[in-house]
Amino acid sequence: GQNIDQPTEMTATEGAIVQINCTYQTSGFNGLFWYQQHAGEAPTFLSYNVLDGLEEKGRFSSFLSRSKGYSYLLLKELQMKDSASYLCAVRRHGGSQGNLIFGKGTKLSVKP
Amino acid sequence: DTAVSQTPKYLVTQMGNDKSIKCEQNLGHDTMYWYKQDSKKFLKIMFSYNNKELIINETVPNRFSPKSPDKAHLNLHINSLELGDSAVYFCASSQSSTPSAQYFGPGTRLTVL
């Protein structure tokens, strides 16, 4: 089976840095995605990791360790608009091309 | 221009009715998906279509039937609606030839009374 865990909620201060962790257990791992979802809106793609290491994209970075089944999303210079849910999703190999299994999301609240 | 669009945005209906949700993508992707997001915000895959062939059915009740007239469209038909079907349904698309991200439509909020 597969299991994806991430904290339910986090709070951080505007201008600070926050790290959202995700651990996973799955067969046929073929990459990990992070999505951002504002309340009442669709998920939007943030980052993708398939090899170990850090991927940086502006204020957002994502890290993957396949041996540990672990990823994190790092948000720097937090802004109020970063208040949203952050979804970790694992992609698997196999006939179900592009099959993504989502975690339950981490609701981030950014305070002034 | 909207990349992935869905209609309607809101759907309120009575138990037992049959309804459809439409989805279209103009990204030229070859794979489309339907997800259900429940009240606890858990996003779960329902169906995936690649080049008009069903490649996933994650134990969804057979009251739900996806229909893909062409690779730019994936509609979701639901028979005999139940209270538990109330959720937000998202359509998404991706390109299978590269490990690309899935792009989501705006969602359809279905309320069954």
Side-chain angles (χ1 to χ4, degrees), chain A residues 38-106:
Chain A
H38 285 100
E41 297 183 12
T44 55
F45 169 71
L46 289 178
S47 70
Y48 167 68
N49 296 70
V50 67
L51 299 176
D52 289 353
L54 190 68
E55 293 284 338
E56 297 188 77
K57 239 189 210 185
R59 293 190 299 115
F60 293 3
S61 303
S62 58
F63 171 83
L64 175 67
S65 169
R66 288 172 298 169
S67 61
K68 294 181 180 177
Y70 168 68
S71 173
Y72 67 73
L73 179 70
L74 194 71
L75 292 77
K76 302 176 187 174
E77 301 169 18
L78 279 172
Q79 302 175 10
M80 299 298 291
K81 68 178 182 179
D82 297 330
S83 293
S85 287
Y86 291 86
L87 309 176
C88 172
V90 170
R91 177 184 163 125
R92 297 181 302 179
H93 281 294
S96 42
Q97 299 176 46
N99 186 7
L100 287 184
I101 307 299
F102 280 86
K104 295 187 176 181
T106 299

Side-chain angles (χ1 to χ4, degrees), chain B residues 14-64:
Chain B
Q14 300 286 333
M15 278 176 57
N17 284 350
D18 303 338
K19 292 292 179 186
S20 292
I21 306 172
K22 295 186 176 181
C23 177
E24 176 181 3
Q25 54 94 5
N26 62 7
L27 298 167
H29 288 162
D30 62 0
T31 306
M32 295 183 72
Y33 311 83
W34 276 107
Y35 286 86
K36 179 180 179 181
Q37 190 168 46
D38 60 25
S39 57
K40 296 183 179 178
K41 310 300 181 189
F42 187 33
L43 193 62
K44 191 170 181 184
I45 183 78
M46 298 175 70
F47 297 103
S48 169
Y49 256 75
N50 176 262
N51 286 324
K52 300 201 299 176
E53 292 187 40
L54 179 67
I55 56 175
I56 302 175
N57 180 341
E58 296 287 329
T59 64
V60 173
N62 58 15
R63 298 183 296 105
F64 291 79

